[in-house]
């Protein structure tokens, strides 16, 4: 009979789908807000590159369960559905919201099936419709992370429905539904922890509904057995056996769950749940008062808030507090319902009992009665308890509607409740459109929660509206003066506004609020891990001052002494030690961090940078490769490992270097540096056309890219396209008029190709204006004087050049040649020196002297590591940044240096031939 009544018709299912769609269609236009950021946007477990096993090793937010900062929320199956969303649509919020909507529909339909076990068809539909439209569910349905509630509820209800089939004919036990129930309970628990509470509901159902016992009957039987006047009935023994199996399986699940969290509760601060750290009787009075507060939200969901932490609900510190009346009234009403449901037989009492079970048992994990939780009130945890509430309302409505005098008014009231709740839900969904709208709506309900002021500030900060963000952060410090995170947010915003003095003052206030170390007491257990970032942020601020590097290091060491497993402190300290030119100590810091987390690709990358500083490119490349094994799309590892391969001079590594740069430009298509270095690789491989194409692409993206402009001009000059190099050099010198090498190359082309002696002379003179001691520029000017047939001036010029570089043999020889020329021609012949082979030879000499210049194919960018701490957020991420400064003269490999020397020797041999010609004339 129960199974027949529990069937849901297609018409009923269609009605529920239509109502849910009408209430939640606008949720599809909402983004990722609040906890969605940590669970979706920042969670690497969603990415296909992350091994699936990580989902079962990490918490809901992607943090390893073994880490103390872990929230200990173990919901791998929920994360798996997020991963499926990511697989099909990556971070398109619409698909995530749509799946939540679908899951809510499924819950409503399954709930209708459950209702039909205890209510008639009409009342069941009423309960299901009320559940479908209730505004308290917007956090669970419209907030993407609320999917944990939805999934857990599906398997929660399915487990209960399965258990209702465990009673066979003649009260026999059917074990298959029980086995299915245990499996579904495990699945529900892997979606969210409260799923395990369905076991309690199954036990109550078995005793009071399936077997039909009442409390007086059970007490009478127990008394008779204890007095020895009777034995336990066989049917009761069967019931006891089923309950033992259920409880044993539950105990097993609890043991596994405790093992997963490694017997550690998450670390919460007094800001998350002030009552949890309050003395008696304030703690007990406040926790008990929170029960009628939750009940009132179900009765009157007019003022909803996404965050009820901190000072949202002031502590109940005295028995004389008027709010205790609400607590007393609530317990009196609840007690009367419990007595009615347990004492009297009949369908009505059974319905009330199951409704109470659905309200009370799933709420126990969030009640703070057995262990503290990280919130005061959370609307999402009322998702399952509201099922019991809806059954109670529907049952009461049935009683009223059966009375002829109240039938019409009961229907009118029902229609009004459903309509107003649906409108409220539709309106409430828009609050979840963005973080700004969500937190501003919360501030309308509660202005005493510093966290809300902070979060509005974060939303404005994300929009780069730092001035307005600062106002909200400052307001947070005024609402909660001892909120460490709020002062950290003020400091960070001042830093973003380039007000370093004010930033340091705010960080110092936050630091002063940190709990002092108590000997023998574990520090980490008394403070939120992210609050320790105040030391990191303060150190990062003051290390910009070169004279305060030691002070910054002291702050990092202080953070490490407080928390030896504080990975971020080792990372930041390693970067500082590199800046202090202490690579060996930096290496120690990174190796210590790697002991804590060997799966962090950024750490391997930073260690590679240390090995570069230690002049160990082989080890550096190994660490770059390790970073890429962990994260194949690690942009900086791709880029810098490619540069390292290129600079090694090993032609065998060039193909892999090219592949990594191609991968890099795919990840960063707007970064001109990637295309530039592809061009440099092509130049090394003598692929001139390919090199030209890459250089041009780099210049299109960054028209003032000094390195690309110079090397493109150099490429043209090396491939007999000197005239094409001229406009490129003009562009280079328009942006960088003091570019010495550009001026030298331009002068070379003007003299050799354009025969523009005057233009060449201007280039070399400009070089000497910038750097009077530039030997190459000075010597080339001497060549110009020779071309102008002014041997006296050429001689004087060469004497001055020789004074600058007395060990340069070629300058001495050239000076000897000019002097011998003067002596042989005589002063009177100087002005009529013919433009013969001598001038041609001099030009050839100069052309060869430029050979070394043309080998300069440098302009590679260097890299450095940096840490970005987002204080005040629940998650802290480290990232590395590249320094876009180009180097004119990079480090060359031994092979490249040898090649340059060979070409220099060849050039000098050609000069000797020219000198013999000159001496022979």
């Amino acid at each position: 009979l129960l199974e027949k009544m529990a069937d849901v018709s297609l018409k009923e299912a269609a009605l529920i789908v239509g109502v849910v769609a009408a209430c939640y269609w606008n949720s599809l236009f909402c983004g990722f807000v609040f906890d969605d950021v940590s669970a979706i946007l920042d969670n690497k477990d969603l990415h296909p590159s992350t091994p699936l096993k990580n989902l079962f090793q990490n918490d809901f937010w992607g943090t390893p369960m073994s880490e103390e900062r872990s929230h200990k929320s173990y919901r791998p199956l929920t994360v798996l559905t997020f991963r499926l969303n990511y697989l099909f649509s990556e971070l398109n919020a619409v698909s995530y919201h749509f799946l939540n909507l679908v899951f809510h529909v499924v819950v409503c339909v399954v709930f209708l099936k459950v209702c039909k076990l205890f209510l008639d068809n009409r009342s069941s539909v009423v309960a299901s419709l009320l559940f479908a439209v209730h505004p308290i569910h917007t956090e669970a349905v419209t907030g993407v992370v609320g999917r944990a509630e939805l999934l857990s509820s599906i398997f929660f209800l399915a487990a209960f429905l399965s258990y209702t089939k465990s009673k066979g004919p003649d009260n026999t036990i059917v074990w298959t539904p029980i086995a299915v129930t245990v499996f579904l309970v495990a699945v529900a628990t892997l979606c969210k922890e409260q799923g395990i509470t369905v076991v309690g509901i199954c036990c109550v159902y078995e005793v009071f509904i399936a077997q039909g016992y009442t409390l007086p009957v059970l007490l009478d039987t127990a008394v008779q057995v204890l007095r020895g006047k009777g034995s336990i009935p066989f049917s009761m023994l069967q019931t006891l056996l089923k309950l033992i199996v259920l409880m044993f399986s539950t105990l097993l699940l609890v043991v596994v769950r405790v093992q997963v969290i490694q017997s550690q509760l998450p670390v919460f601060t007094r800001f998350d749940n002030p009552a949890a750290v309050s003395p008696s009787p304030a703690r007990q009075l406040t926790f008990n008062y929170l029960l009628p507060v939750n009940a009132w939200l179900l009765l009157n969901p007019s003022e909803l808030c996404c965050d009820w932490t901190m000072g949202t609900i002031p502590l109940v510190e005295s028995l004389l507090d008027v709010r205790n009346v609400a607590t007393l009234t609530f317990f009196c009403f609840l007690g009367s319902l419990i007595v009615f449901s347990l004492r009297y037989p009949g369908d009505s009492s059974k319905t009330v009992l199951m409704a109470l079970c659905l309200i009370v048992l799933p709420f126990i994990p969030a009640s703070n009665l057995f262990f503290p939780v990280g919130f005061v009130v959370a609307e999402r945890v009322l998702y399952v308890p509201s099922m019991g509430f809806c059954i109670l309302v529907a049952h009461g409505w049935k009683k009223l509607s059966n009375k002829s005098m109240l039938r019409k008014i009961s229907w009118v009231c029902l229609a009004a409740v459903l309509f107003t709740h649906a409108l409220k839900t539709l309106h409430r969904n828009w609050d979840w459109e963005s973080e700004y709208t969500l937190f501003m709506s919360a501030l309308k309900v509660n202005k005493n929660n510093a966290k809300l002021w902070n979060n509005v500030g974060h939303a404005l900060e994300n929009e780069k509206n730092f001035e307005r963000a600062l106002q909200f952060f400052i307001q947070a410090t005024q609402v909660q003066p001892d909120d460490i995170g709020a002062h950290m947010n003020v400091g960070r915003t001042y830093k973003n506004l380039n007000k370093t003095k004010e930033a340091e003052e705010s960080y110092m206030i936050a630091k002063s609020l940190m709990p002092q170390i108590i000997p023998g007491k574990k520090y980490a257990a008394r403070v939120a891990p992210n609050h320790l970032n105040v030391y990191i942020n303060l150190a990062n601020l003051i290390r910009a001052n070169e004279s305060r590097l030691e002070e910054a290091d002291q702050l990092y060491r202080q953070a490490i002494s407080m928390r030896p497993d504080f990975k971020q402190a080792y990372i930041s300290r390693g970067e500082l030690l590199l800046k202090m030119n202490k690579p060996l100590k930096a290496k120690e810091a990174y190796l210590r961090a790697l002991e804590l987390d060997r799966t962090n690709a950024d750490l391997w990358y930073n260690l590679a940078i240390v090995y570069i500083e230690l002049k160990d490119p082989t080890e550096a490349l190994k660490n770059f490769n390790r970073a890429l094994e962990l994260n194949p799309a690690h942009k900086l590892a791709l880029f810098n490992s490619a540069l390292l391969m290129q600079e090694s001079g090993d032609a065998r590594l060039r193909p892999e270097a090219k592949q990594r740069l191609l991968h890099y430009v795919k990840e960063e298509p707007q970064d001109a540096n990637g295309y530039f270095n592809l061009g440099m690789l092509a130049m090394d491989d003598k692929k001139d056309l390919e090199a030209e194409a890459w250089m041009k692409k780099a210049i299109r993206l960054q028209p003032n890219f000094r390195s690309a402009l110079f090397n493109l001009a150099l490429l043209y000059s090396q491939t007999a396209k000197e005239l094409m190099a001229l406009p490129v050099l003009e562009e280079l010198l328009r942006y960088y008029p003091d570019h010495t090498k550009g001026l030298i190359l331009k002068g070379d082309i003007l003299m050799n190709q354009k025969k523009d002696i005057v233009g060449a002379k201007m280039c070399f003179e400009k070089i000497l204006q910038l750097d009077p001691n530039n030997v190459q520029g000075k010597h080339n000017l001497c060549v110009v004087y020779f071309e102008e047939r002014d041997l006296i001036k050429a001689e004087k010029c060469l004497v001055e050049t020789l004074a600058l570089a007395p060990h340069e043999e070629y300058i001495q020889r050239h000076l000897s040649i000019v002097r011998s020329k003067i002596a042989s021609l005589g002063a009177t012949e100087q002005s009529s020196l013919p433009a013969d082979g001598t001038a041609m030879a001099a030009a050839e000499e100069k052309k060869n002297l430029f050979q070394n210049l043309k080998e300069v194919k440098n302009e590679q960018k260097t890299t450095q590591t940096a840490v970005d701490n987002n204080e005040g957020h629940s998650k802290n991420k480290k990232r590395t940044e590249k320094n876009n400064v180009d180097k004119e003269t990079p480090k060359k490999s031994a092979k490249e240096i040898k090649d340059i020397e060979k070409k220099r020797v060849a050039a000098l041999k050609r000069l000797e031939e020219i000198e013999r010609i000159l001496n022979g004339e």
Side-chain angles (χ1 to χ4, degrees), residues 629-682:
E629 285 173 15
L630 293 167
N631 180 9
H634 195 292
K635 298 172 188 175
L636 290 178
L638 285 168
F639 185 88
N640 288 289
S641 62
L643 289 193
L644 200 60
M645 291 174 175
Q646 182 182 1
E647 290 173 1
S648 71
D650 188 345
R652 294 171 298 178
L653 295 177
R654 286 179 196 159
E656 177 61 22
K658 182 178 179 180
Q659 288 305 311
R660 293 189 183 187
L661 285 173
L662 287 171
H663 191 167
Y664 175 78
V665 297
K666 184 180 178 182
E667 296 288 333
E668 287 285 347
Q670 298 304 310
D671 186 1
N673 290 286
Y675 301 104
F676 165 72
N677 283 285
L678 279 166
M680 299 301 292
L681 268 177

Side-chain angles (χ1 to χ4, degrees), residues 686-739:
K686 310 300 181 187
K687 298 177 180 178
D688 299 331
L689 291 176
E690 184 182 332
E692 180 184 354
W694 289 125
M695 292 293 183
K696 285 182 175 178
K697 188 157 188 176
I699 293 165
R700 276 198 300 274
L701 287 171
Q702 188 179 329
N704 65 339
F705 196 159
R706 183 181 63 187
S707 306
L709 288 166
F710 175 74
N711 282 284
L712 179 58
L714 195 58
L715 175 65
Y716 284 142
S717 69
Q718 287 176 332
T719 53
K721 299 177 182 176
E722 287 88 348
L723 296 181
M724 292 178 68
L726 268 181
V728 179
L729 287 168
E730 293 289 350
E731 191 72 4
L732 170 69
L733 294 169
R734 183 169 70 85
Y735 288 113
Y736 308 101
D738 300 343
H739 196 288

Side-chain angles (χ1 to χ4, degrees), residues 741-754:
K741 292 184 177 69
L743 288 166
I744 289 175
L745 189 55
K746 181 183 176 184
D748 174 32
I749 295 170
L750 289 175
M751 183 183 295
N752 274 344
Q753 304 299 321
K754 299 283 285 184

Side-chain angles (χ1 to χ4, degrees), residues 542-680:
I542 66 175
R543 78 182 191 191
N545 184 340
E546 294 289 337
S547 63
R548 302 181 69 182
L549 297 182
E550 288 293 342
E551 187 181 346
D553 189 36
Q554 177 63 32
L555 285 166
Y556 292 136
R557 283 186 279 130
Q558 188 175 354
I560 291 168
S561 68
M562 290 177 172
R563 192 181 176 93
D565 64 344
F566 191 14
K567 179 178 64 181
Q568 193 63 58
Y570 292 106
I571 293 170
S572 298
R573 184 167 184 248
E575 200 245 337
L576 175 68
L577 290 168
L578 273 179
K579 186 176 182 180
M580 296 170 72
N581 199 26
K582 298 178 179 179
L584 288 174
K585 287 190 175 181
K587 177 183 170 183
E588 289 176 14
Y590 286 132
L591 288 174
R592 179 71 182 94
L594 280 168
E595 289 175 14
L596 301 171
D597 182 8
R598 299 191 67 81
T599 62
N600 189 320
D602 288 339
L603 280 175
W604 292 102
Y605 169 82
N606 287 351
L607 190 58
I609 298 297
V610 171
Y611 279 115
I612 288 177
E613 292 295 321
L614 291 170
K615 307 293 189 294
D616 191 345
T618 304
E619 281 299 315
L621 190 56
K622 285 181 184 177
N623 285 282
F624 279 139
N625 291 340
R626 186 65 188 272
L628 290 170
E629 285 173 15
L630 293 167
N631 180 9
H634 195 292
K635 298 172 188 175
L636 290 178
L638 285 168
F639 185 88
N640 288 289
S641 62
L643 289 193
L644 200 60
M645 291 174 175
Q646 182 182 1
E647 290 173 1
S648 71
D650 188 345
R652 294 171 298 178
L653 295 177
R654 286 179 196 159
E656 177 61 22
K658 182 178 179 180
Q659 288 305 311
R660 293 189 183 187
L661 285 173
L662 287 171
H663 191 167
Y664 175 78
V665 297
K666 184 180 178 182
E667 296 288 333
E668 287 285 347
Q670 298 304 310
D671 186 1
N673 290 286
Y675 301 104
F676 165 72
N677 283 285
L678 279 166
M680 299 301 292

Side-chain angles (χ1 to χ4, degrees), residues 241-308:
L241 179 61
K242 290 171 75 174
L243 295 184
I244 289 172
V245 171
L246 272 181
M247 297 309 294
F248 179 78
S249 60
T250 304
L251 184 63
L252 193 63
L253 283 173
V254 170
V255 169
V256 171
R257 184 68 176 82
V258 170
Q259 287 295 317
V260 166
I261 66 172
Q262 300 183 358
S263 304
Q264 291 180 337
L265 287 174
V267 178
F268 297 119
T269 68
R270 58 193 174 89
F271 303 115
D272 298 318
N273 190 350
V277 294
S278 299
S280 299
R283 181 169 67 254
Q284 291 78 13
L285 291 174
T286 303
F287 282 158
N288 282 293
Y289 171 66
L290 293 179
L291 299 176
V293 169
N294 281 281
W296 181 249
L297 285 173
L298 289 173
L299 278 168
N300 179 30
S302 58
E303 291 189 337
L304 300 177
C305 180
C306 63
D307 193 324
W308 295 80

Side-chain angles (χ1 to χ4, degrees), residues 142-187:
T142 309
V144 176
V145 294
R147 186 177 298 177
E149 314 289 339
L150 307 176
L151 282 172
S152 180
S153 299
I154 291 172
F155 296 108
F156 179 101
L157 295 174
F160 176 70
L161 285 172
S162 176
Y163 187 80
T164 60
K165 299 174 183 177
S166 65
K167 181 181 177 182
D170 301 323
N171 207 25
T172 56
I173 300 174
V174 183
W175 289 106
T176 302
I178 294 176
V180 172
T181 297
V182 172
F183 171 75
L184 290 172
V185 169
V187 173

